[in-house]
Amino acid sequence: MEITEFVFKLLLLFFPGIICAYLVDQLTIHRPREPFFFLLQSFTFGLASYFLYWAGAKIAGHCCPTLVNPHLAFLRTLTDSTAVFSFREIAYVSIVATILACMISVASRFKLLNRIAKWVGLTKKFGELDVWGYLLNMEQVAWVTVRDHKNDLVYDGWVQAFSDDSKDAELLLRDVTIYKNKTGKPLYQIGALYLSRNREDITIECRTLPIDDQVKWKENANATTTATPTATTTATTTAN
């Protein structure tokens, strides 16, 4: 494909957007994206980076008008074919784009958009690709018990790494103890274990997640209700 002068100019001007889109793509967990979406992201992040740079230059221009130029060469270069590139501006905007990519990655890491949207009642989505990622990204989930029903085994250990989605159900467990599932008999221990299973063949139990007090109260109430008739029957039998 022949790269014309106009295309080369666009690539150079939107180089900060390409940097930002690449970093976001590498640092965040997401579904596979089409090349067109990457180009659209580069364009959007590039405009955002130039805007943030212009806003920062405007603010700094009021403080040091002789040192900072608040005018962007970016727009002039796009509209005027004879305008000269400002490589210094592109370098500064690339730094802004890198910072923007880090901010977007942090927001994606902690699902800030979904948290705010859930707080105001706009959505119920939790932001992860699926429940697999939602479960294993919970801070309370460290030690897990994986029941491999097909092989009649139980793996008990803490999660060091896991796949991005539940399609392959990959887990890297550390400090693992292996048991027989039906009998609970301990077999052996190992420092690390890689698991790749079909989702239908395993269940994951999280013992570190506490049981709600209300649920405990219901269990105790049911146990008391069940035990009362037995005690009454025993007392009646003794009296007779």
Side-chain angles (χ1 to χ4, degrees):
M1 183 181 66
E2 183 181 357
I3 299 179
T4 62
E5 181 181 353
F6 178 72
V7 173
F8 177 75
K9 183 185 293 187
L10 282 180
L11 288 175
L12 188 59
L13 288 174
F14 283 97
F15 179 71
I18 295 173
I19 292 177
C20 186
Y22 175 78
L23 290 176
V24 170
D25 185 70
Q26 292 297 313
L27 297 177
T28 59
I29 298 174
H30 52 79
R31 291 185 173 87
R33 293 169 176 169
E34 298 294 331
F36 174 76
F37 185 81
F38 180 82
L39 293 177
L40 184 62
Q41 265 194 332
S42 301
F43 176 77
T44 306
F45 291 155
L47 289 180
S49 300
Y50 276 104
F51 173 78
L52 291 175
Y53 172 77
W54 171 81
K58 274 286 187 181
I59 296 173
H62 287 290
C63 303
C64 304
T66 58
L67 297 178
V68 180
N69 181 16
H71 302 289
L72 283 178
F74 168 70
L75 296 177
R76 187 172 64 253
T77 310
L78 280 180
T79 56
D80 187 1
S81 59
T82 61
V84 181
F85 283 100
S86 175
F87 292 100
R88 176 180 295 181
E89 180 180 281
I90 294 175
Y92 287 154
V93 177
S94 297
I95 297 174
V96 174
T98 303
I99 298 173
L100 178 62
C102 294
M103 294 173 62
I104 293 172
S105 299
V106 170
S108 175
R109 162 73 173 81
F110 294 100
K111 305 296 179 291
L112 296 182
L113 178 61
N114 290 84
R115 288 175 184 267
I116 296 173
K118 288 178 69 175
W119 182 67
V120 300
L122 291 178
T123 184
K124 290 185 177 181
K125 290 187 175 182
F126 44 74
E128 298 288 351
L129 297 180
D130 48 29
V131 181
W132 170 271
Y134 178 74
L135 170 68
L136 295 176
N137 276 315
M138 294 175 66
E139 293 182 359
Q140 303 95 324
V141 175
W143 284 87
V144 297
T145 300
V146 182
R147 298 189 182 275
D148 187 348
H149 303 287
K150 188 174 182 180
N151 297 313
D152 191 32
L153 293 174
V154 175
Y155 310 98
D156 189 69
W158 59 273
V159 181
Q160 183 174 22
F162 56 91
S163 55
D164 293 341
D165 55 55
S166 60
K167 181 180 179 181
D168 298 320
E170 294 178 300
L171 281 172
L172 176 60
L173 301 178
R174 294 294 305 274
D175 302 330
V176 189
T177 304
I178 293 91
Y179 304 88
K180 291 293 289 186
N181 187 31
K182 291 182 179 179
T183 62
K185 178 183 177 182
L187 300 178
Y188 61 95
Q189 291 181 313
I190 194 169
L193 176 71
Y194 168 79
L195 278 177
S196 179
R197 297 287 189 271
N198 293 325
R199 291 173 295 175
E200 296 81 7
D201 296 335
I202 63 172
T203 56
I204 300 177
E205 301 172 5
C206 306
R207 294 181 287 106
T208 52
L209 287 175
I211 300 175
D212 189 83
D213 290 336
Q214 188 175 1
V215 176
K216 290 182 179 179
W217 178 82
K218 286 182 179 180
E219 290 179 350
N220 294 334
N222 292 336
T224 304
T225 305
T226 306
T228 301
T230 305
T232 306
T233 304
T234 304
T236 305
T237 305
T238 304
N240 290 334

